[in-house]
């Protein structure tokens, strides 16, 4: 009997390894062709001169004072944005984790809307709030459009949901009786929280902080719109060096710097996620959630609601207000102007960007769901360095310069059999790169929660791997699959960094159209940009509200 078991175990292990490699094959090929190859092409174009590598160029670029200022500002604003986001969002994470109140589901969707909005829309919303002629300028003469405060607040607006969902999701499953026991033993409320709850939350807080730092370190649309010529992050500088100065060598060096930094951040993030998964004993969220009790808890709930209203809802409300504030009085004049192509900015009417964006986003969603679903299934077997390295690879598009990827598409994918520069599929491919990580992070926890014995029983009964997936996994993860598709659609709809290079003038996307309208002087162009941003915001908000109706608190990491 023991001999039979020892023979079956290696056979089972080999079968699982073969299945994992088979699941990883298509995602690895997709990322190799449409991510690694374009990035490598743009780096090689910048650092390879007359067939020889010129690595000395790296030191020359980093020695420039203006580049050092960009590196300093990129790091400083990311640290400041992360600290400010944690300070403001952690009370919100507690409220969503511990309190039950009317309208909580809708409010959770409202909090998440800014995260899936395109950075161009976020920058536009804050421009309408704090920029020239904005609400603060009209009321008190305060204009923050060229200061770091506008950038920092926009980053808080964008990343508030990251902290609420990452930290709040774990907080809602921590057993409150442990903290209550510490208080019964004489500890004060703060001491019990500091010694019992905070150590348990630290992996989630660290993971959230790292993701916020990653998103703000690679910030593009927000800084480009609000920073003006004075403030520039690595991503904005890569775009400037590539599209305006045409200095590919400098852009390549900055891409390498950003790639190394992002790789280090993601490696640390993967470690914190493993700690969060293995270090705690959790309870069902229903056990920990209750109505607020006492004046202090009601005051905390009120304070969080006010902060959400001021920091998240107000900028979006001002965006809508500016889109309706036409020269002849409030109305839909700017929306009507979207139907005309007379501005000369586009070859088609700006309204055509809506249809283009929806078509591109739906195609990108289909690609992201297939690639991300296969990747998540492979990662369900979560042991080994190969799987951990594969997990980090899937997250790289969130941090590596989308500008580099977009420009790399133009340089690398211009020869048969991959001559795609004139093909419409190029835009959905770039958008799918950003959507895949969200599909993986949404589906992976649910797939790992499926009892492996069910798969084994189906396989013993003769089911093929495809039938096992269809009969066992799919019914259990169908809801997570819908949510993953919704997130992929929302982020694809708002992708800007890569699309700005590859979207054709006769087929602009919504974010590209907004950016081009903002780049032209005139109240009409500005008003149309506000109108398009409002339309994009409404589409994303509707998608998030639908997701909240079908999701559960334990569905995925987003």
């Amino acid at each position: 009997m023991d001999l039979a078991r020892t023979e079956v175990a290696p056979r089972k292990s080999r079968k699982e390894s073969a299945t994992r490699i088979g699941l990883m094959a298509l995602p690895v090929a997709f990322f190799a062709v449409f991510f690694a190859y374009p990035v490598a092409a743009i780096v090689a174009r910048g650092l390879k001169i007359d067939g020889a590598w010129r690595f000395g160029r790296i030191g020359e670029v980093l020695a420039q004072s203006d580049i050092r200022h960009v590196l300093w500002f990129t790091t400083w604003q990311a640290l400041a944005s992360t600290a400010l986001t944690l300070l403001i969002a952690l009370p919100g994470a507690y409220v969503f984790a511990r309190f039950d109140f009317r309208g909580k589901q809708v409010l959770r969707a409202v909090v998440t809307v800014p995260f899936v909005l395109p950075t161009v829309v976020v920058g536009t919303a804050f421009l309408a709030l704090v920029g020239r002629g904005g609400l603060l300028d009209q009321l008190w003469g305060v204009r923050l459009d060229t200061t770091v405060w506008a950038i920092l607040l926009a980053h808080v607006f964008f990343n508030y949901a990251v902290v609420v969902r990452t930290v709040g999701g774990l907080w809602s499953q921590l057993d409150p009786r442990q903290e209550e026991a510490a208080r019964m033993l004489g500890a004060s409320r703060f001491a019990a929280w500091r010694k019992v709850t905070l150590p348990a939350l630290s992996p989630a807080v660290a993971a959230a902080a790292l993701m916020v730092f990653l998103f703000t370190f690679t910030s593009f649309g927000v800084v480009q719109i609000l920073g003006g010529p004075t403030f520039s992050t690595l991503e904005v500088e890569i775009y400037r060096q590539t599209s305006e100065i045409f200095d590919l060598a400098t852009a390549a060096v900055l891409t390498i710097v950003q790639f190394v930094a992002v790789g280090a951040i993601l490696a640390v993030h993967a470690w914190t996620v493993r700690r969060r998964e293995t270090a705690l004993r959790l309870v069902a969220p229903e056990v920990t959630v209750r109505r607020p009790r006492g004046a202090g808890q009601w005051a905390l709930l009120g304070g969080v609601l006010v902060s959400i209203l001021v920091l998240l809802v107000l900028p979006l409300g001002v965006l809508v207000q500016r889109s309706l504030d036409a020269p002849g009085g409030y109305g839909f004049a700017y929306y009507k102007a979207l139907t005309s192509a007379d501005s000369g900015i586009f070859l088609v009417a700006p309204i055509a960007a809506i249809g283009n964006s929806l078509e591109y986003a739906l195609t990108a969603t289909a690609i992201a769901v297939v690639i991300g679903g296969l990747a998540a299934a492979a990662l369900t077997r979560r042991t080994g360095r190969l799987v951990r390295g594969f997990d980090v690879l899937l997250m790289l598009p969130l941090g590596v310069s989308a500008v580099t990827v977009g420009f790399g598409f133009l340089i690398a994918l211009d020869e048969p059999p991959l001559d795609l520069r004139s093909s419409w599929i190029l835009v959905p491919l770039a958008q799918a790169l950003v959507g895949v990580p969200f599909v993986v992070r949404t589906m992976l926890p649910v797939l790992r929660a499926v009892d492996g014995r069910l798969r084994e029983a189906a396989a013993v009964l003769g089911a093929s791997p495809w039938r096992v997936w269809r009969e066992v996994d799919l019914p259990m993860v169908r809801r997570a699959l819908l949510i993953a598709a919704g997130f992929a659609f929302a982020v694809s709809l708002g992708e800007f960094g890569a699309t700005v290079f590859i979207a054709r003038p006769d087929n602009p996307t919504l974010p590209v159209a907004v950016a081009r309208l903002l780049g032209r002087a005139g109240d009409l162009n500005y008003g149309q940009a506000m109108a398009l941003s409002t339309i994009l915001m409404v589409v994303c908000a509707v998608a998030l509200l639908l997701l909240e109706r079908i999701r559960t608190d334990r569905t995925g990491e987003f």
Side-chain angles (χ1 to χ4, degrees):
M1 179 66 71
D2 291 340
L3 180 61
R5 288 179 178 176
T6 57
E7 291 177 352
V8 170
R11 193 181 307 124
K12 179 182 177 182
S13 177
R14 287 195 297 270
K15 185 176 181 180
E16 288 184 352
S17 298
T19 301
R20 185 190 308 126
I21 293 173
L23 291 170
M24 292 169 56
L26 185 58
V28 168
F30 178 79
F31 274 77
V33 174
F34 298 112
F35 177 69
Y37 178 46
V39 172
I42 194 71
V43 171
R45 182 68 65 93
L47 295 182
K48 211 171 184 180
I49 302 176
D50 296 330
W53 289 94
R54 304 292 292 271
F55 291 107
R57 181 63 177 156
I58 297 177
E60 297 173 5
V61 171
L62 297 180
Q64 299 175 18
S65 59
D66 56 337
I67 297 299
R68 289 201 304 269
H69 176 75
V70 169
L71 292 171
W72 174 86
F73 177 73
T74 301
T75 306
W76 180 89
Q77 63 83 25
L79 289 171
S81 296
T82 302
L84 191 60
T85 302
L86 289 175
L87 179 66
I88 295 174
L90 281 176
Y94 175 80
V95 165
F96 280 101
R98 295 299 199 206
F99 293 167
D100 183 26
F101 53 91
R102 184 175 298 177
K104 180 178 178 180
Q105 188 179 52
V106 174
L107 191 64
R108 189 192 299 272
V110 170
V111 166
T112 311
V113 166
F115 179 67
V116 298
L117 283 179
T119 55
V120 171
V121 174
V122 175
T124 305
F126 274 81
L127 189 65
L129 178 64
V130 301
R132 173 181 56 85
L135 181 65
L136 297 185
D137 189 13
Q138 293 177 4
L139 295 179
W140 300 294
V142 177
R143 290 167 58 180
L144 301 176
D145 52 307
T146 56
T147 70
V148 294
W149 275 111
I151 296 172
L152 298 182
L153 291 175
H155 285 161
V156 173
F157 170 90
F158 186 77
N159 293 292
Y160 188 95
V162 176
V163 177
V164 167
R165 288 190 174 270
T166 305
V167 180
L170 178 62
W171 211 334
S172 66
Q173 299 177 65
L174 292 181
D175 193 342
R177 291 172 292 188
Q178 299 177 9
E179 189 173 326
E180 293 170 1
R183 294 197 64 198
M184 290 181 63
L185 294 174
S188 65
R189 183 182 296 274
F190 177 73
W193 180 82
R194 181 171 56 86
K195 294 182 179 180
V196 177
T197 304
L198 183 59
L201 280 178
S202 59
V205 174
L210 284 167
M211 289 309 296
V212 174
F213 183 85
L214 174 66
F215 291 137
T216 53
F217 186 84
T218 58
S219 182
F220 177 50
V222 168
V223 178
Q224 185 186 37
I225 291 175
L226 296 175
T230 307
F231 301 107
S232 178
T233 57
L234 272 172
E235 186 85 354
V236 174
E237 189 64 21
I238 291 172
Y239 175 77
R240 192 174 72 90
Q241 295 288 341
T242 302
S243 63
E244 298 178 9
I245 303 178
F246 304 107
D247 187 348
L248 293 185
T250 299
V253 170
L254 297 181
T255 297
I256 293 172
V257 171
Q258 184 165 310
F259 185 83
V260 171
V262 167
I265 294 169
L266 291 177
V268 177
H269 178 266
W271 176 72
T272 61
V273 168
R274 289 198 299 273
R275 282 189 60 198
R276 185 176 54 181
E277 289 178 344
T278 59
L280 300 172
R281 297 178 64 88
L282 305 177
V283 298
E286 294 79 9
V287 177
T288 67
V289 176
R290 63 190 180 188
R291 298 280 295 177
R293 293 184 295 187
Q297 291 189 355
W298 281 107
L300 176 61
L301 175 59
V304 168
L305 292 177
V306 169
S307 67
I308 291 175
L309 180 65
V310 173
L311 289 175
L312 305 184
V313 178
L314 181 60
L316 298 179
V318 173
L319 182 66
V320 176
Q321 180 265 330
R322 294 302 298 273
S323 73
L324 297 172
D325 188 9
Y330 282 95
F332 294 95
Y334 291 138
Y335 291 87
K336 293 178 182 178
L338 295 176
T339 61
S340 173
D342 295 336
S343 64
I345 301 177
F346 308 103
L347 299 179
V348 295
I351 196 71
I354 300 175
N356 296 334
S357 289
L358 292 175
E359 180 182 353
Y360 289 144
L362 288 172
T363 306
T365 300
I367 297 172
V369 167
V370 172
I371 300 297
L374 291 172
L379 290 172
T380 306
R381 289 79 172 174
R382 52 180 165 180
T383 57
R385 293 183 179 179
L386 176 64
V387 173
R388 290 197 294 269
F390 180 57
D391 195 4
V392 172
L393 169 68
L394 296 172
M395 294 291 288
L396 281 176
L398 292 181
V400 173
S401 171
V403 171
T404 301
V405 174
F407 195 61
F409 270 28
L410 296 181
I411 291 178
L413 305 180
D414 63 340
E415 296 179 359
L418 290 174
D419 187 4
L420 301 176
R421 285 195 300 180
S422 59
S423 173
W424 68 273
I425 196 66
L426 207 58
V427 173
L429 287 171
Q431 294 173 341
L433 283 172
V434 183
V436 167
F438 288 92
V439 174
V440 173
R441 297 267 73 83
T442 302
M443 294 188 62
L444 185 56
V446 182
L447 283 171
R448 286 178 174 171
V450 176
D451 192 339
R453 291 172 295 184
L454 296 176
R455 300 188 184 101
E456 294 174 1
V460 168
L461 293 174
S464 64
W466 164 246
R467 188 172 181 183
V468 171
W469 161 257
R470 181 166 52 87
E471 301 290 345
V472 177
D473 291 281
L474 184 59
M476 296 185 179
V477 303
R478 184 180 292 112
R479 181 174 299 218
L481 187 63
L482 290 174
I483 294 169
F487 268 112
F489 176 79
V491 298
S492 298
L493 196 67
E495 203 288 322
F496 175 63
T499 309
V500 71
F501 276 98
I502 57 182
R504 297 183 305 193
D506 58 338
N507 285 291
T509 64
L510 277 170
V512 172
V514 170
R516 289 178 181 171
L517 286 168
L518 285 175
R520 297 287 292 267
D523 292 337
L524 179 60
N525 292 327
Y526 183 81
Q528 289 183 91
M530 295 295 167
L532 279 180
S533 297
T534 301
I535 293 171
L536 189 49
M537 177 194 70
V538 170
V539 173
C540 291
V542 170
L544 260 295
L545 286 171
L546 292 176
L547 291 182
E548 284 300 323
R549 291 184 65 87
I550 64 174
R551 76 173 295 135
T552 64
D553 288 339
R554 298 173 71 105
T555 302
E557 297 178 19
F558 286 97

